Structure formats: C-alpha cells, structure tokens
Amino acid sequence: MVRPSSTGLATAFFRLYLLESLVSGPARPAALLAAIAAERLPFASGAFGRALQSLIEGGYLAPAAAATVCLTALGAAERTAERERWSTMLPTLVRLLGNTEPRPFPIVAEVPPPRERPVAEAYLDRVLVASVRERIAAARDGGPAFAVVLAQVDVDAVGEATRRAMVHRAIRATLGATATLFGGDVSAYRYGECGVAAIAPVGRDTDRGERLAALVRSRLDELMRTMTSTVRAFGNARWHVRAGAAAWTEELATTTVLLRRAEEALSMDGDRRDAA
C-alpha cells in the first residue's frame, strides 16, 4: 500500500503551508516546522525540508536576517496559483470524506528569534575586544594612545552565495596584506560578517586614525573593483564601502564605549556617502 506520507502529497502540502505562512513576514523554518508538527499530520518528516529546498531553489523564498526566510515577489505569485489549485481540489475532497469539522489551531510556545545586533555588538566578545582591552590597559600604564578603525563592505545585486564569496575574498586579501598596506605597527582583525577592524598607535599624530580609515576604505574598494572586472560571476555586483575611526582618550573609559564611538563614525561615513 502506498501511504500519503511517502508520496508527493506531503511535499505539495508543505509548499502551500510555507507560502501561506510567510505572507505575514519572514520566519525561521524551525519555528514553522514546530507549528505544523503540532498538527500531527500523517506526512513524512523529510517532506518539509524538500518543500523548503524546492521553494528556495525556485526563487519563491529567499534567506533573510536572523536565520529566517522570506517570500519573494515570485513566491507571492506562486502562492496565489497554489491557493487556486487547492481551492479547486478541496470541494471534491470534502465530498469524498464527508463533512468534517476543522480542527482548532494548536498552541505552540513561541521561541523569540535572536536579536539583531549592531556590527560592533556581534563581535563584542571576540578577539577584537580582547585586543582593544589590552591596548587600553597599556595606554593607561604609559603606553601609546591608539585608534580603532572599523570598515564594512556591503554587496548587492547578486545572489547570497556570490555576495558572501566576494566579501570573504576582500576580507582575506585585506587581512593578509596588513603590514604591507597599512604599516608594520597596525593589527587587523575580522569584524563581524562583512568587515575588518584595524588598531594602530597614534602617538602625537592625532589624524592617523582618519588616514588609516581612508586607506582601509580604498583597499576594500580597490579589491571589489578588481573582482567585478576579472571574475564574470561578480560582474553585476554593486558595492558600498564605508569606514570610521575612533581614537582612545581618557574620556573613553571602557572598551565598549570606544567601539561604540568607532561604530558611530562608521555609520556617519555611510550616511555621508549616501548623501553624496
């Protein structure tokens, strides 16, 4: 005997379920699966994953922030078509099975999605923070003052896999040539998902942080231009590079405050370049 759980019926149902559930906004697949699992339907467990994969591959769904997926314009049109198909079939199904009462929605505990954090917070407990903390301690003991530079490269007009490949390639190339490009006394780190951070002593040169920010910005921009002109898959990409710097002073008492100041400069640089 062929069970419904082993046929394409389960995949077709989950396609409709996903398209319908994402109309209200992005959601995590795990949360959607938990909600439909509470219905205890006689469908194969792997059908949900197959339906999700087919919708993403077809361009009906797209990855979004915080590990969620969202409905695309193509997906909205597919949802309308799916509803029409199921609406045409449903009266026949009801006639075959007889009148049945709809079951109430099951109550599922809602797990809040991870909070989206600014870039500095996303890297707040990693190597960068430890290095900044050490520099602050050394400066308070008579060591040189220093500046922190944060830079990001944002890429769009390409697929997610291509965007990640471009960003990661630019970051690796920048970190690998830190001493040559920025100076032997500069330390560079990965910053969040799509950026780099640089720490450099300033001494009496109070403008070094701004100059270093300009160098990092130019380096990332140069790498993006090279990639789009030499790699066919990257040719349609559009990018936006921004950078900001903050110099440590006695008034900036903690590592967090200094990084927040650098993040504010990073945001202001993006606003200025957008206005230009």
Side-chain angles (χ1 to χ4, degrees):
M1 180 179 68
V2 178
R3 296 175 56 85
S5 61
S6 61
T7 68
L9 175 62
T11 302
F13 171 80
F14 282 126
R15 282 175 60 92
L16 174 67
Y17 172 74
L18 285 164
L19 292 170
E20 192 67 28
S21 300
L22 293 172
V23 170
S24 57
R28 289 176 298 142
L32 296 175
L33 178 59
I36 195 61
E39 298 273 6
R40 300 183 181 278
L41 300 176
F43 291 151
S45 58
F48 183 89
R50 290 193 296 272
L52 178 63
Q53 182 178 359
S54 69
L55 290 172
I56 293 177
E57 291 178 349
Y60 305 116
L61 304 183
T68 63
V69 291
C70 64
L71 199 65
T72 65
L74 188 62
E78 179 67 10
R79 168 181 171 267
T80 301
E82 284 282 359
R83 287 176 62 88
E84 291 176 355
R85 286 191 285 267
W86 283 84
S87 297
T88 301
M89 175 271 296
L90 189 58
T92 301
L93 182 61
V94 171
R95 187 182 71 247
L96 291 173
L97 299 179
N99 294 327
T100 57
E101 293 294 330
R103 69 175 70 182
F105 283 105
I107 299 176
V108 179
E110 182 67 22
V111 179
R115 183 172 61 93
E116 292 190 46
R117 303 180 296 173
V119 179
E121 286 190 15
Y123 210 68
L124 203 56
D125 56 351
R126 300 181 184 271
V127 179
L128 174 62
V129 173
S131 300
V132 173
R133 187 175 293 119
E134 291 177 0
R135 297 287 185 116
I136 290 178
R140 287 174 175 167
D141 288 339
F146 65 96
V148 176
V149 172
L150 304 179
Q152 277 189 300
V153 54
D154 303 311
V155 181
D156 57 18
V158 292
E160 178 64 15
T162 301
R163 184 195 70 82
R164 288 180 177 271
M166 295 183 69
V167 169
H168 293 174
R169 183 179 294 192
I171 291 174
R172 288 196 302 268
T174 301
L175 297 181
T178 299
T180 303
L181 296 170
F182 310 133
D185 59 349
V186 177
S187 300
Y189 308 88
R190 181 154 187 155
Y191 178 67
E193 181 188 358
C194 55
V196 296
I199 303 176
V202 297
R204 297 181 180 180
D205 185 4
T206 57
D207 294 331
R208 188 180 185 191
E210 295 299 329
R211 292 203 307 274
L212 182 59
L215 284 173
V216 175
R217 187 190 301 114
S218 298
R219 170 61 174 171
L220 289 171
D221 187 71
E222 177 188 9
L223 288 167
M224 299 306 296
R225 290 182 186 277
T226 301
M227 278 189 282
T228 54
S229 63
T230 58
V231 182
R232 179 179 301 178
F234 300 161
N236 295 327
R238 297 178 181 177
W239 70 92
H240 179 67
V241 180
R242 49 200 173 99
W248 178 82
T249 63
E250 290 288 350
E251 289 74 21
L252 302 179
T254 66
T255 302
T256 302
V257 173
L258 177 59
L259 288 176
R260 292 294 181 275
R261 185 69 59 85
E263 187 181 36
E264 291 172 3
L266 177 71
S267 177
M268 292 176 61
D269 182 62
D271 294 341
R272 286 196 300 267
R273 292 166 70 83
D274 289 340

